[in-house]
Amino acid sequence: MTYHTSESLSHAHITAIGSYVPERKLTNADLEQLVDTNDEWIVKRTGMHERRIAREDEFTSHLAIAAVEHMIAAFQTDLSNVDLILVATHTPDLPFPSVACQLQAHFNIPHTGALDLNATCAGFPYAIHLANGLIAGGAHRKILVVAADTMSKITDYTDRSTCILFGDGAGAVIIESKPEPKAFLGSRLGTDGTGGIHVYRTGLADTLNGQSLEGNSKLVQNGREVYRFAVTQIPQGIKELTEAAGVSIDDIDWFIPHSANLRIIEAMNERTGISREKTLISLDYFGNTSAASIPLALDLGVKSGQVKPGDLLLLYGFGGGLTHCGLLVRWG
Ligand code: UT7
């Protein structure tokens, strides 16, 4: 592991992106065969049409590797001088070794630190926030950030209120030190641990804050409570983040919220004044892919040519914890 010291602060920039979703589709019609639901309800309540589902032998590390490979193909990225790998996931193949260590081995990256971090659906902006701080402080120069989850492995396909939502995917970016101008304009992190009971998955314990949990090792969610959390906390967070950064709503080129549910996102649009046209989503054909949902939407925007170098992005993740993280950053 190499530590860098720097007398003057560096500027961190996102310089490359790639993403991957598995081939197999799970459509609303497929879900009608599994649980008592229908296409009209799902589209009206969530905006979702399809999700991608990993094969039985396909895990988060495989999706993560494929996303990095796509990034290398699109941006000719050199990984040999990456000095830290951060993987945002709550569905690693194994409790340990981490997915980050699996990436190090696969890509044979010679001198790097590697760790997974778990901020559930807010994991991507959290990891970017950390990468920015480590580069700005001079500790690192080039960080590979991957956000990947295989939600299908932890979804209860007998529970119609959750199984319609989730899909699998991965996104990868490079954050590296570059000269002026400054690309990261602000961040806002928040946590409500008392709300953890509203979306969880049991592991070693089956109680939380003294309350008993449904110990089926699949995701359990009180959708209405998470919905309420998202539509109140995130618009307030956006107000505080933009005011602190001295940025107006009109300055934002692209809003990329966690793709949890289109109704949640439309409520955020209404409450913040950020138009739907400036909002990038990935949920319509990929579902809620947890940590991967924001980089999937950003990659779609970059590949389609909508997102251009210098554009100001507002990324906002939220999810289990309960936790949330917003970032203002220029692309490229
Ligand atoms: O990424 C992690 C963060 N998670 C989220 O952001 C999830 C946030 N929450 C949501 O997206 C929504 O709450 C859901 C999509 C989960 C549910 O939508 P909702 O509009 O909040 O529905 P609801 O839970 O209030 O249920 C309304 C009705 C109920 O029937 P009754 O009690 O009114 O007769 C449910 O039983 O809809 C019923 N229902 C369904 N009907 C058909 C629930 N799921 C389904 C379904 N198909 N799949």
Side-chain angles (χ1 to χ4, degrees):
M1 180 63 233
T2 315
Y3 287 94
H4 305 289
T5 50
S6 159
E7 300 213 331
S8 61
L9 292 183
S10 312
H11 293 297
H13 288 250
I14 309 176
T15 57
I17 186 164
S19 66
Y20 176 75
V21 288
E23 277 169 31
R24 194 180 135 209
K25 292 179 183 173
L26 181 68
T27 64
N28 292 350
D30 296 331
L31 286 162
E32 287 177 7
Q33 307 303 312
L34 291 177
V35 287
D36 180 14
T37 191
N38 58 78
D39 177 62
E40 192 191 347
W41 192 96
I42 299 173
V43 173
K44 197 168 152 213
R45 300 285 183 132
T46 72
M48 293 170 190
H49 298 271
E50 290 176 5
R51 310 109 197 105
R52 298 298 185 93
I53 303 296
R55 297 186 314 267
E56 263 185 34
D57 63 349
E58 198 175 21
F59 293 93
T60 296
S61 67
H62 302 113
L63 274 53
I65 287 168
V68 175
E69 282 170 345
H70 283 199
M71 177 179 73
I72 293 169
F75 287 85
Q76 290 76 51
T77 314
D78 172 16
L79 296 185
S80 66
N81 56 353
V82 161
D83 57 15
L84 185 63
I85 307 169
L86 291 176
V87 177
T89 185
H90 62 90
T91 53
D93 306 22
L94 307 162
F96 62 89
S98 65
V99 175
C101 288
Q102 290 173 275
L103 288 177
Q104 183 277 329
H106 182 88
F107 292 102
N108 195 20
I109 302 172
H111 306 291
T112 187
L115 75 154
D116 290 358
L117 64 93
N118 176 358
T120 61
C121 302
F124 182 70
Y126 256 94
I128 301 275
H129 169 73
L130 295 178
N132 171 43
L134 291 167
I135 286 176
H140 290 269
R141 289 203 179 121
K142 188 171 184 180
I143 302 181
L144 170 62
V145 172
V146 179
D149 273 309
T150 39
M151 296 301 290
S152 64
K153 310 282 187 201
I154 64 160
T155 295
D156 178 355
Y157 285 99
T158 66
D159 175 4
R160 69 175 181 172
S161 68
T162 57
C163 73
I164 53 149
L165 295 172
F166 297 107
D168 303 334
V173 293
I174 289 288
I175 316 284
E176 61 188 313
S177 171
K178 276 183 36 174
E180 302 280 341
K182 193 175 170 190
F184 282 79
L185 304 191
S187 60
R188 185 177 181 279
L189 281 65
T191 308
D192 173 13
T194 63
I197 194 86
H198 299 316
V199 53
Y200 64 82
R201 180 183 165 218
T202 52
L204 297 178
D206 57 8
T207 59
L208 178 67
N209 299 335
Q211 292 173 272
S212 293
L213 306 175
E214 290 175 40
N216 65 3
S217 79
K218 300 289 184 193
L219 182 144
V220 177
Q221 176 173 260
N222 180 336
R224 282 184 196 181
E225 287 296 336
V226 181
Y227 194 105
R228 206 190 326 272
F229 165 75
V231 300
T232 54
Q233 289 300 311
I234 309 313
Q236 179 61 24
I238 290 172
K239 187 171 179 294
E240 289 172 20
L241 171 58
T242 49
E243 281 176 6
V247 162
S248 82
I249 292 297
D250 290 343
D251 293 332
I252 296 163
D253 293 300
W254 298 105
F255 173 40
I256 315 180
H258 169 44
S259 261
N261 179 327
L262 188 57
R263 279 169 52 225
I264 292 179
I265 293 171
E266 287 173 344
M268 290 177 186
N269 289 141
E270 204 170 297
R271 290 176 189 208
T272 59
I274 304 174
S275 72
R276 176 69 183 84
E277 290 67 39
K278 283 186 169 187
T279 307
L280 298 176
I281 62 168
S282 58
L283 61 82
D284 38 0
Y285 290 92
F286 300 150
N288 176 344
T289 51
S290 197
S293 88
I294 293 176
L296 281 170
L298 175 58
D299 196 28
L300 288 171
V302 170
K303 286 213 177 81
S304 69
Q306 289 171 285
V307 177
K308 299 189 175 55
D311 278 0
L312 182 58
L313 312 178
L314 168 61
L315 314 181
Y316 226 114
F318 58 90
L322 298 169
T323 187
H324 58 100
C325 179
L327 276 183
L328 281 166
V329 57
R330 292 199 184 281
W331 167 249

